[in-house]
Each structure stands twice: as structure tokens, then as C-alpha cells.
Amino acid sequence: MKKFFSAALACVFFARGVFCSELGERERALVNQILQAKLESRMIDGDKEALDWLGEKRDEFFASIKGHEFSQEAVLVFENLFVLEQYHFMWEIDDKSKAANDFIQAQVNKLLAWNDSHPTESRSDWYNATSYEVINAAMPLFKYSKKISLGLEEKKVYDAMIKSKCSLGYLYLNAGLWYAFAPAIGGGSDSKAKEYFSTAVNIGATDYEKFFGLVYLSQSEYDLGDRDSCKKRLDDADKILPGNVYVPFVRLVNEAGCTVFEYADDKGKVMSKVKKHKEKN
């Protein structure tokens, strides 16, 4: 079988410089390959099967770059992208799993240590976007005061990146999620979340950014009462990744009267509604 990352490596290992404040062309090409792997994991029916497949892709990836020179920051970006997706499937399998919590906590510890010695303005956009995504996913593991401080820090960084006209669709996915989940009293905004998801769709350079931009945009529109637009966005996401298993799940959650945002907040409650919906239909 042809190695998943071999084509990308053949194209991007033409230079050996290490980049500090921004990722270079070869690093960005590898980021795109990881995003494609993350997207393709949503084609696999079964969380355990998807987790195992993604673990193989991660092992293959890091074996393929062994011996090549990358900055520590670039390696952290690569790790962040894999860790977040692996954690997603671990959480789906068991949202109270100690192994899953330990898994993401280990990455968070690396990131917080890195952040302590690297000011925000010296970090690459990809590092900021992926590191705060991982930290956000681990929020339930922190004490309340730490959650507040990290959440506000995340918002501050996202807002500054957007103000500076950052062109990463990935950033707008994460910023949109921040505004979608934060309570209004804490700065959350459904309309701003919708705006940022729409931006991710419009400027995203990869199918991953466009696919999830459309899915999250559909959920914002569902929350705002626009069910027709919600349906259209999900149909458009299906066109990007025909045969995926994620969009049908999102539709099912919507049919039960909920959104995937609510699912992330209270999985048990939403799945109870899904079960009742299935029994009636």
C-alpha cells in the first residue's frame, strides 16, 4: 500500500530551514495532509475503528518525518492536530474515560510549558489556532478559575489574530466555536459564531476547513431558527465528503431537536432525545 504521506514528503522536503514565528511551505503542506487525514476519519463507521485508523496515520506520519529538521513549534502543531482528533474519538467511545483525559492532559502540559517561554506574538498562527483548540477541549479538567483565565486568554488571542486579518480558515472555525459555546454574559454571541463559521467556509484553503465550517454554520443557523439554511449547509458538506458518517449523525441530532453544540455540552441528555426520536420514527 502506498504510504499516506509519501507524496507530500516528496514535494516538501526541498529545504531544511527551521521556521520560528511562522510555518514554512513544507510545514504547511504537511499540516494540510494531516487535515485531510482528520477529514477522512469521518468516513469510518465506528469510533473505535476510526481511532485505530487515525493512530496508524499518526504513527506513519511521524515515522516519515523522522530525521528531518523541524522546529519544536512545528512539531507541536503536528501533534496538536492529531491529538485533538484522537481525543474526539476517545471521548465518543467513553466521555468519562481516564485514559482520554490523561491523553489530552499530557499534550496540554506541553503547550502550557511552551507558552510560558514563548510570548503570544512570537508564535505562529497555526500554533495559536491549534494549541488553544487542544486546551479548550481539556477545559473540564481544570478548576473553575483556571477555566475562566484560559477561556479569556483564548478569546483575546483569537480576536487579535482576526483583527490582524489572519487568513486561516482553521482559526475562524475555532473562534466561531468559542463564541458559540461561551455564555452571552461571558462574551458569547450566536451571530458572531455564525459570521466566523461563514468566513471559514469562504476562505478555508482545505476541504477540512470548508466541511466543518459548513457543519458548524448549519448548527448556528439551526439555533437561529433557519432550518432551511441548516439543511442546505449540511447538503453542501455532504458534497465535499460523499459517504461520510458525520453529517448523517448531525442530521439525526437536529431531528431530535438539538444541535451538535448541545451534544458536546451534554452528550447523555442529547442522546436520550435521539433515542426517543428514533423510537417514534
Side-chain angles (χ1 to χ4, degrees):
M1 179 181 291
K2 183 178 180 180
K3 292 296 185 182
F4 184 80
F5 294 98
S6 60
L9 289 169
C11 294
V12 300
F13 283 130
F14 54 84
R16 296 185 61 84
V18 177
F19 301 86
C20 298
S21 60
E22 284 300 333
L23 298 188
E25 184 176 349
R26 63 177 186 156
E27 287 89 348
R28 293 196 304 273
L30 291 172
V31 163
N32 289 345
Q33 291 296 314
I34 300 172
L35 291 179
Q36 185 62 26
K38 283 160 65 77
L39 182 62
E40 290 180 8
S41 71
R42 303 308 176 102
M43 295 289 293
I44 301 171
D45 190 8
D47 297 317
K48 176 65 167 56
E49 291 78 5
L51 177 62
D52 290 344
W53 181 86
L54 200 59
E56 291 174 4
K57 294 304 177 187
R58 177 178 176 166
D59 291 345
E60 180 183 311
F61 174 82
F62 283 104
S64 71
I65 67 170
K66 187 177 181 180
H68 295 279
E69 192 173 322
F70 289 99
S71 69
Q72 185 180 355
E73 182 181 42
V75 173
L76 285 171
V77 170
F78 301 154
E79 290 178 353
N80 289 342
L81 290 166
F82 276 114
V83 164
L84 201 284
E85 205 68 22
Q86 289 175 282
Y87 177 73
H88 162 79
F89 290 115
M90 295 171 80
W91 181 87
E92 289 287 2
I93 294 167
D94 180 0
D95 58 346
K96 296 179 176 58
S97 166
K98 182 179 184 302
N101 291 342
D102 291 346
F103 176 74
I104 199 164
Q105 184 68 65
Q107 188 68 12
V108 168
N109 291 343
K110 283 186 186 180
L111 299 177
L112 294 179
W114 172 267
N115 292 352
D116 283 343
S117 57
H118 295 81
T120 305
E121 60 273 12
S122 72
R123 308 172 201 159
S124 72
D125 288 343
W126 271 110
Y127 176 84
N128 279 329
T130 61
S131 64
Y132 283 105
E133 180 183 32
V134 171
I135 291 169
N136 188 291
M139 284 294 189
L141 306 180
F142 295 109
K143 293 181 178 179
Y144 180 76
S145 59
K146 188 67 171 177
K147 291 180 185 178
I148 296 299
S149 63
L150 285 173
L152 292 175
E153 179 182 322
E154 180 183 7
K155 178 181 183 296
K156 181 179 179 181
V157 171
Y158 290 162
D159 287 348
M161 291 171 72
I162 290 169
K163 186 176 181 179
S164 69
K165 307 298 183 184
C166 176
S167 60
L168 293 184
Y170 202 90
L171 161 66
Y172 288 89
L173 288 177
N174 292 341
L177 289 171
W178 193 98
Y179 280 97
F181 280 101
I185 194 172
S189 168
D190 289 341
S191 61
K192 186 158 282 191
K194 178 182 175 181
E195 174 191 345
Y196 288 161
F197 294 143
S198 180
T199 301
V201 173
N202 291 332
I203 72 170
T206 65
D207 283 346
Y208 178 95
E209 292 160 303
K210 292 184 181 298
F211 177 85
F212 282 99
L214 285 164
V215 170
Y216 296 150
L217 179 57
S218 78
Q219 299 307 278
S220 286
E221 290 172 333
Y222 185 98
D223 271 338
L224 295 169
D226 191 348
R227 304 301 163 82
D228 289 340
S229 291
C230 170
K231 180 182 182 302
K232 183 181 183 306
R233 304 299 183 188
L234 291 176
D235 289 344
D236 288 343
D238 255 341
K239 293 174 185 175
I240 292 174
L241 193 65
N244 75 86
V245 298
Y246 187 57
V247 170
F249 172 74
V250 176
R251 288 195 181 102
L252 185 60
V253 168
N254 291 166
E255 289 167 6
C258 305
T259 67
V260 291
F261 302 152
E262 293 172 276
Y263 175 77
D265 265 343
D266 196 332
K267 180 181 177 182
K269 181 179 179 180
V270 170
M271 289 312 294
S272 177
K273 291 184 178 181
V274 168
K275 182 180 178 181
K276 290 179 181 178
H277 169 74
K278 284 183 173 180
E279 290 171 350
K280 291 180 180 179
N281 298 275

